[in-house]
Amino acid sequence: MDLGVISVRYARALLKCSVESKVEDKVYQEMQTLAESYIKVPELRRAIDNPMIAREQKAELLKVAAGGKVSKVTERFISLVLDEMREKTVQFIANAYVTLYRQQKKITRGKLTTAVPVSAAMEQKMRKMVESRTNGTVEFSTEVNPDIMGGFVLEYDTYRMDTSVKSQLNNILKQLN
């Protein structure tokens, strides 16, 4: 069976169970933390995939990777995944859950890149603009990148607005060549 299909099935079941238990927001945070843990700590995958490590130790590792004190739903989910010997799919299930949750709650991820730090008011203004265009809420992050020299780059969904000085200079240079 395809890894993607398995991951999505488990993620859908986890989302359904977390919604019924009214802890979907907590599980969302835990699944985000778990997915980030796999990225930040590559040894986690090796430990979870290692057949020499006991199931109980894997369960504790996954709980810690999901944020430590996890909800009962996440605890049961980890137990189920390990019982079914699907530990190799945990990272994919966590990512699938995050995606399904965002779809259900109409959450869009947005990113604002500027050359210098922006005020909270400006960040809020950009967030509101994206929310009005997407008819949902936005998980917004900001990044300072002095390489763009000025202006900003706003990204969300498949949309990208680049008003940076760097890109404008590159456009002028292309026109001159």
Side-chain angles (χ1 to χ4, degrees):
M1 191 170 254
D2 185 29
L3 183 62
V5 172
I6 293 169
S7 302
V8 171
R9 284 183 181 167
Y10 274 84
R12 277 193 186 124
L14 178 59
L15 182 61
K16 183 178 179 187
C17 181
S18 65
V19 167
E20 289 171 358
S21 300
K22 295 180 176 30
V23 292
E24 69 269 22
D25 298 337
K26 173 124 174 77
V27 174
Y28 173 63
Q29 293 298 322
E30 293 166 351
M31 291 300 116
Q32 278 187 309
T33 303
L34 181 59
E36 289 170 9
S37 294
Y38 268 95
I39 293 168
K40 291 177 182 172
V41 186
E43 295 82 18
L44 178 61
R45 170 167 296 295
R46 289 192 287 277
I48 297 301
D49 291 351
N50 187 340
M52 300 302 289
I53 296 178
R55 181 191 170 288
E56 294 78 21
Q57 289 175 310
K58 289 180 182 183
E60 284 306 310
L61 271 173
L62 289 171
K63 288 176 195 173
V64 168
K69 179 137 175 62
V70 295
S71 64
K72 290 287 183 194
V73 171
T74 297
E75 198 170 315
R76 288 193 320 245
F77 160 73
I78 289 170
S79 181
L80 173 71
V81 168
L82 293 173
D83 287 346
E84 297 296 321
M85 293 192 251
R86 298 279 192 194
E87 56 264 27
K88 291 181 188 249
T89 64
V90 170
Q91 180 182 12
F92 303 104
I93 296 168
N95 285 322
Y97 180 92
V98 168
T99 300
L100 290 171
Y101 177 91
R102 286 180 179 149
Q103 287 172 349
Q104 183 179 22
K105 301 283 186 174
K106 295 183 181 176
I107 299 172
T108 303
R109 295 191 72 193
K111 181 178 173 185
L112 176 65
T113 306
T114 58
V116 295
V118 295
S119 67
M122 178 55 76
E123 183 180 334
Q124 187 65 20
K125 184 177 180 181
M126 296 299 258
R127 178 192 317 268
K128 293 286 186 202
M129 182 185 76
V130 174
E131 286 177 348
S132 70
R133 290 185 178 187
T134 60
N135 295 323
T137 57
V138 177
E139 284 183 354
F140 211 68
S141 65
T142 57
E143 179 182 305
V144 175
N145 181 357
D147 292 342
I148 68 170
M149 296 184 232
F152 65 89
V153 179
L154 176 65
E155 299 171 285
Y156 63 92
D157 279 341
T158 58
Y159 181 78
R160 178 180 167 98
M161 179 192 304
D162 188 345
T163 66
S164 67
V165 172
K166 182 178 180 178
S167 70
Q168 291 175 13
L169 289 173
N170 285 337
N171 289 338
I172 292 170
L173 185 61
K174 284 179 189 175
Q175 290 175 358
L176 293 175
N177 286 335

mmCIF file of all heavy atoms in Angstrom, residues 53-61 82:
data_model
loop_
_atom_site.group_PDB
_atom_site.id
_atom_site.type_symbol
_atom_site.label_atom_id
_atom_site.label_comp_id
_atom_site.label_asym_id
_atom_site.label_seq_id
_atom_site.Cartn_x
_atom_site.Cartn_y
_atom_site.Cartn_z
ATOM 1 N N ILE A 53 15.059 -1.011 19.491
ATOM 2 C CA ILE A 53 14.520 -0.163 20.550
ATOM 3 C C ILE A 53 13.117 -0.648 20.895
ATOM 4 O O ILE A 53 12.282 -0.872 20.012
ATOM 5 C CB ILE A 53 14.520 1.320 20.124
ATOM 6 C CG1 ILE A 53 15.967 1.786 19.924
ATOM 7 C CG2 ILE A 53 13.807 2.186 21.151
ATOM 8 C CD1 ILE A 53 16.113 3.214 19.470
ATOM 9 N N ALA A 54 12.870 -0.793 22.179
ATOM 10 C CA ALA A 54 11.579 -1.311 22.653
ATOM 11 C C ALA A 54 10.439 -0.361 22.311
ATOM 12 O O ALA A 54 10.617 0.851 22.216
ATOM 13 C CB ALA A 54 11.642 -1.532 24.164
ATOM 14 N N ARG A 55 9.271 -0.948 22.137
ATOM 15 C CA ARG A 55 8.060 -0.197 21.793
ATOM 16 C C ARG A 55 7.773 0.912 22.812
ATOM 17 O O ARG A 55 7.402 2.016 22.457
ATOM 18 C CB ARG A 55 6.888 -1.179 21.710
ATOM 19 C CG ARG A 55 5.584 -0.560 21.339
ATOM 20 C CD ARG A 55 4.445 -1.571 21.560
ATOM 21 N NE ARG A 55 3.174 -0.933 21.436
ATOM 22 C CZ ARG A 55 2.645 -0.082 22.324
ATOM 23 N NH1 ARG A 55 3.301 0.240 23.397
ATOM 24 N NH2 ARG A 55 1.454 0.447 22.126
ATOM 25 N N GLU A 56 7.953 0.613 24.111
ATOM 26 C CA GLU A 56 7.688 1.590 25.162
ATOM 27 C C GLU A 56 8.628 2.791 25.056
ATOM 28 O O GLU A 56 8.225 3.928 25.276
ATOM 29 C CB GLU A 56 7.825 0.946 26.557
ATOM 30 C CG GLU A 56 6.780 -0.108 26.853
ATOM 31 C CD GLU A 56 7.050 -1.462 26.179
ATOM 32 O OE1 GLU A 56 8.220 -1.735 25.803
ATOM 33 O OE2 GLU A 56 6.098 -2.223 25.998
ATOM 34 N N GLN A 57 9.894 2.517 24.720
ATOM 35 C CA GLN A 57 10.862 3.600 24.549
ATOM 36 C C GLN A 57 10.509 4.458 23.334
ATOM 37 O O GLN A 57 10.641 5.681 23.372
ATOM 38 C CB GLN A 57 12.281 3.040 24.390
ATOM 39 C CG GLN A 57 12.835 2.443 25.674
ATOM 40 C CD GLN A 57 14.179 1.801 25.447
ATOM 41 O OE1 GLN A 57 14.353 1.002 24.531
ATOM 42 N NE2 GLN A 57 15.136 2.154 26.299
ATOM 43 N N LYS A 58 10.054 3.809 22.265
ATOM 44 C CA LYS A 58 9.629 4.557 21.073
ATOM 45 C C LYS A 58 8.435 5.443 21.402
ATOM 46 O O LYS A 58 8.362 6.594 20.965
ATOM 47 C CB LYS A 58 9.272 3.600 19.928
ATOM 48 C CG LYS A 58 10.465 2.908 19.321
ATOM 49 C CD LYS A 58 10.040 1.985 18.199
ATOM 50 C CE LYS A 58 11.230 1.247 17.611
ATOM 51 N NZ LYS A 58 10.845 0.397 16.475
ATOM 52 N N ALA A 59 7.505 4.904 22.187
ATOM 53 C CA ALA A 59 6.321 5.682 22.570
ATOM 54 C C ALA A 59 6.745 6.915 23.371
ATOM 55 O O ALA A 59 6.245 8.023 23.121
ATOM 56 C CB ALA A 59 5.356 4.822 23.379
ATOM 57 N N GLU A 60 7.661 6.749 24.305
ATOM 58 C CA GLU A 60 8.144 7.891 25.094
ATOM 59 C C GLU A 60 8.874 8.899 24.219
ATOM 60 O O GLU A 60 8.695 10.110 24.378
ATOM 61 C CB GLU A 60 9.047 7.414 26.237
ATOM 62 C CG GLU A 60 8.295 6.818 27.399
ATOM 63 C CD GLU A 60 7.213 7.736 27.952
ATOM 64 O OE1 GLU A 60 7.490 8.925 28.224
ATOM 65 O OE2 GLU A 60 6.064 7.267 28.106
ATOM 66 N N LEU A 61 9.691 8.415 23.288
ATOM 67 C CA LEU A 61 10.390 9.307 22.363
ATOM 68 C C LEU A 61 9.406 10.140 21.550
ATOM 69 O O LEU A 61 9.580 11.341 21.387
ATOM 70 C CB LEU A 61 11.258 8.491 21.393
ATOM 71 C CG LEU A 61 12.680 8.181 21.797
ATOM 72 C CD1 LEU A 61 13.325 7.236 20.796
ATOM 73 C CD2 LEU A 61 13.502 9.448 21.907
ATOM 74 N N LEU A 82 2.214 2.309 16.895
ATOM 75 C CA LEU A 82 3.246 1.347 17.276
ATOM 76 C C LEU A 82 2.698 -0.079 17.306
ATOM 77 O O LEU A 82 3.388 -1.019 16.897
ATOM 78 C CB LEU A 82 3.853 1.730 18.623
ATOM 79 C CG LEU A 82 4.667 3.027 18.624
ATOM 80 C CD1 LEU A 82 5.082 3.403 20.039
ATOM 81 C CD2 LEU A 82 5.864 2.936 17.700
#
